[in-house]
Amino acid sequence: MASLNKQQKRAKRAKAKAKQIRMVGRKPLAQDDDLGHLAEPIPEYTLAMFSKMREAEAVSRNDMLLTLLRELAFIIVDHPELLDMENADDEGMAATHLAADMLIDYRMWADGMDIEAAQAWLNEPQFITDFGIALDAYGQSQKAQEEQEEQEEQSE
């Protein structure tokens, strides 16, 4: 498992790239990608994340998005093979694509939406704005955590 500092650096890079493209630059899935993978068993770590996201969504969309970002950072560390580096310029873009795919899968899992409805939800201007706000909040919390760790190291 990567160190906490490395996890934070990865999350920071992913946040910067996601902020840069704001999910708008994401290529749509090909029609052949009918997301038949949802018919397959969903991995336990994904189900756990979806359950946490559903609980957080009961509070607010922002809480749901922050839960996604936090949980996804740990999932990527444990399962780096989920990042599709072939279809992304860098790790941050691959993480953004994974987050978008997870959000589509989540909406299909939570609400039984079809892929078109889930993609439309993901591309709503208000959702894109909310996602940007959540990314900023997540980045600030990561930065604050880094600063706290640096202060603790200096005081030792």
Side-chain angles (χ1 to χ4, degrees), residues 76-119:
I76 289 170
V77 169
D78 292 340
H79 303 279
E81 71 277 4
L82 293 174
L83 293 177
D84 181 11
M85 296 304 293
E86 291 179 19
N87 295 315
D89 295 336
D90 58 26
E91 192 175 291
M93 183 179 281
T96 301
H97 290 187
L98 179 60
D101 290 343
M102 288 288 195
L103 283 163
I104 290 169
D105 289 351
Y106 168 72
R107 195 50 47 209
M108 293 172 69
W109 173 83
D111 298 329
M113 285 185 178
D114 62 16
I115 188 168
E116 291 83 17
Q119 286 176 327

Side-chain angles (χ1 to χ4, degrees), residues 122-137:
L122 188 71
N123 290 312
E124 290 174 357
Q126 186 58 51
F127 180 85
I128 293 169
T129 299
D130 292 346
F131 189 77
I133 291 168
L135 278 172
D136 290 343

Side-chain angles (χ1 to χ4, degrees), residues 6-24:
K6 191 169 188 173
Q7 290 175 19
Q8 291 171 342
K9 286 180 182 178
R10 286 180 180 167
K12 192 180 277 188
R13 283 194 308 266
K15 178 221 177 247
K17 190 62 176 183
K19 185 174 183 177
Q20 187 179 40
I21 64 174
R22 291 278 192 219
M23 304 289 287
V24 176

Side-chain angles (χ1 to χ4, degrees), residues 137-150:
Y138 179 74
Q140 290 172 356
S141 71
Q142 293 298 309
K143 185 177 180 179
Q145 187 176 357
E146 276 182 25
E147 290 172 356
Q148 181 182 2
E149 289 173 2
E150 286 176 13

Side-chain angles (χ1 to χ4, degrees), residues 2-51:
S3 69
L4 183 59
N5 192 27
K6 191 169 188 173
Q7 290 175 19
Q8 291 171 342
K9 286 180 182 178
R10 286 180 180 167
K12 192 180 277 188
R13 283 194 308 266
K15 178 221 177 247
K17 190 62 176 183
K19 185 174 183 177
Q20 187 179 40
I21 64 174
R22 291 278 192 219
M23 304 289 287
V24 176
R26 187 172 177 273
K27 297 175 188 169
L29 292 173
Q31 289 294 57
D32 293 341
D33 293 344
D34 200 14
L35 282 188
H37 68 280
L38 282 182
E40 298 173 11
I42 298 174
E44 199 61 39
Y45 58 85
T46 302
L47 286 175
M49 179 178 70
F50 285 177
S51 294

